[in-house]
PDB file of all heavy atoms in Angstrom:
ATOM      1  N   LYS A 313       1.020 -29.833 -10.232  1.00 44.00           N
ATOM      2  CA  LYS A 313       0.493 -29.005  -9.152  1.00 44.00           C
ATOM      3  C   LYS A 313       0.450 -29.733  -7.818  1.00 44.00           C
ATOM      4  O   LYS A 313       0.430 -29.107  -6.765  1.00 44.00           O
ATOM      5  CB  LYS A 313      -0.914 -28.510  -9.511  1.00 44.00           C
ATOM      6  CG  LYS A 313      -0.911 -27.405 -10.543  1.00 44.00           C
ATOM      7  CD  LYS A 313      -2.262 -26.726 -10.641  1.00 44.00           C
ATOM      8  CE  LYS A 313      -2.199 -25.537 -11.573  1.00 44.00           C
ATOM      9  NZ  LYS A 313      -3.460 -24.807 -11.649  1.00 44.00           N
ATOM     10  N   GLU A 314       0.452 -31.056  -7.850  1.00 50.00           N
ATOM     11  CA  GLU A 314       0.421 -31.784  -6.590  1.00 50.00           C
ATOM     12  C   GLU A 314       1.712 -31.570  -5.789  1.00 50.00           C
ATOM     13  O   GLU A 314       1.771 -31.823  -4.585  1.00 50.00           O
ATOM     14  CB  GLU A 314       0.186 -33.282  -6.832  1.00 50.00           C
ATOM     15  CG  GLU A 314       1.261 -33.955  -7.674  1.00 50.00           C
ATOM     16  CD  GLU A 314       0.966 -33.875  -9.174  1.00 50.00           C
ATOM     17  OE1 GLU A 314       0.074 -33.089  -9.563  1.00 50.00           O
ATOM     18  OE2 GLU A 314       1.620 -34.600  -9.930  1.00 50.00           O
ATOM     19  N   ASP A 315       2.790 -31.098  -6.461  1.00 48.00           N
ATOM     20  CA  ASP A 315       4.058 -30.842  -5.768  1.00 48.00           C
ATOM     21  C   ASP A 315       4.105 -29.455  -5.138  1.00 48.00           C
ATOM     22  O   ASP A 315       5.005 -29.166  -4.343  1.00 48.00           O
ATOM     23  CB  ASP A 315       5.240 -30.961  -6.740  1.00 48.00           C
ATOM     24  CG  ASP A 315       5.361 -32.364  -7.324  1.00 48.00           C
ATOM     25  OD1 ASP A 315       5.058 -33.320  -6.586  1.00 48.00           O
ATOM     26  OD2 ASP A 315       5.738 -32.495  -8.498  1.00 48.00           O
ATOM     27  N   ILE A 316       3.150 -28.580  -5.505  1.00 43.00           N
ATOM     28  CA  ILE A 316       3.238 -27.184  -5.078  1.00 43.00           C
ATOM     29  C   ILE A 316       3.225 -27.010  -3.566  1.00 43.00           C
ATOM     30  O   ILE A 316       4.055 -26.265  -3.032  1.00 43.00           O
ATOM     31  CB  ILE A 316       2.122 -26.344  -5.753  1.00 43.00           C
ATOM     32  CG1 ILE A 316       2.477 -26.155  -7.230  1.00 43.00           C
ATOM     33  CG2 ILE A 316       1.948 -24.996  -5.060  1.00 43.00           C
ATOM     34  CD1 ILE A 316       1.442 -25.388  -8.033  1.00 43.00           C
ATOM     35  N   PRO A 317       2.315 -27.649  -2.802  1.00 48.00           N
ATOM     36  CA  PRO A 317       2.334 -27.437  -1.346  1.00 48.00           C
ATOM     37  C   PRO A 317       3.689 -27.723  -0.710  1.00 48.00           C
ATOM     38  O   PRO A 317       4.159 -26.962   0.149  1.00 48.00           O
ATOM     39  CB  PRO A 317       1.254 -28.401  -0.843  1.00 48.00           C
ATOM     40  CG  PRO A 317       0.288 -28.480  -1.985  1.00 48.00           C
ATOM     41  CD  PRO A 317       1.163 -28.489  -3.205  1.00 48.00           C
ATOM     42  N   ALA A 318       4.359 -28.819  -1.124  1.00 48.00           N
ATOM     43  CA  ALA A 318       5.672 -29.139  -0.554  1.00 48.00           C
ATOM     44  C   ALA A 318       6.709 -28.100  -0.959  1.00 48.00           C
ATOM     45  O   ALA A 318       7.554 -27.690  -0.154  1.00 48.00           O
ATOM     46  CB  ALA A 318       6.113 -30.531  -1.025  1.00 48.00           C
ATOM     47  N   LEU A 319       6.644 -27.636  -2.219  1.00 46.00           N
ATOM     48  CA  LEU A 319       7.579 -26.603  -2.673  1.00 46.00           C
ATOM     49  C   LEU A 319       7.361 -25.300  -1.910  1.00 46.00           C
ATOM     50  O   LEU A 319       8.319 -24.598  -1.576  1.00 46.00           O
ATOM     51  CB  LEU A 319       7.397 -26.363  -4.179  1.00 46.00           C
ATOM     52  CG  LEU A 319       7.916 -27.476  -5.103  1.00 46.00           C
ATOM     53  CD1 LEU A 319       7.434 -27.229  -6.524  1.00 46.00           C
ATOM     54  CD2 LEU A 319       9.438 -27.540  -5.054  1.00 46.00           C
ATOM     55  N   LEU A 320       6.116 -24.989  -1.633  1.00 44.00           N
ATOM     56  CA  LEU A 320       5.819 -23.754  -0.909  1.00 44.00           C
ATOM     57  C   LEU A 320       6.435 -23.768   0.476  1.00 44.00           C
ATOM     58  O   LEU A 320       6.938 -22.741   0.949  1.00 44.00           O
ATOM     59  CB  LEU A 320       4.301 -23.540  -0.811  1.00 44.00           C
ATOM     60  CG  LEU A 320       3.600 -23.120  -2.101  1.00 44.00           C
ATOM     61  CD1 LEU A 320       2.094 -23.082  -1.884  1.00 44.00           C
ATOM     62  CD2 LEU A 320       4.092 -21.761  -2.571  1.00 44.00           C
ATOM     63  N   LEU A 355       7.229 -20.036  -9.523  1.00 52.00           N
ATOM     64  CA  LEU A 355       6.531 -20.216  -8.244  1.00 52.00           C
ATOM     65  C   LEU A 355       7.249 -19.430  -7.151  1.00 52.00           C
ATOM     66  O   LEU A 355       6.615 -18.784  -6.313  1.00 52.00           O
ATOM     67  CB  LEU A 355       6.492 -21.703  -7.886  1.00 52.00           C
ATOM     68  CG  LEU A 355       5.845 -22.065  -6.534  1.00 52.00           C
ATOM     69  CD1 LEU A 355       4.410 -21.570  -6.486  1.00 52.00           C
ATOM     70  CD2 LEU A 355       5.893 -23.568  -6.313  1.00 52.00           C
TER      71      LEU A 355
END
Side-chain angles (χ1 to χ4, degrees):
K313 285 193 174 183
E314 61 272 13
D315 298 325
I316 287 178
L319 288 169
L320 287 174
L355 177 58

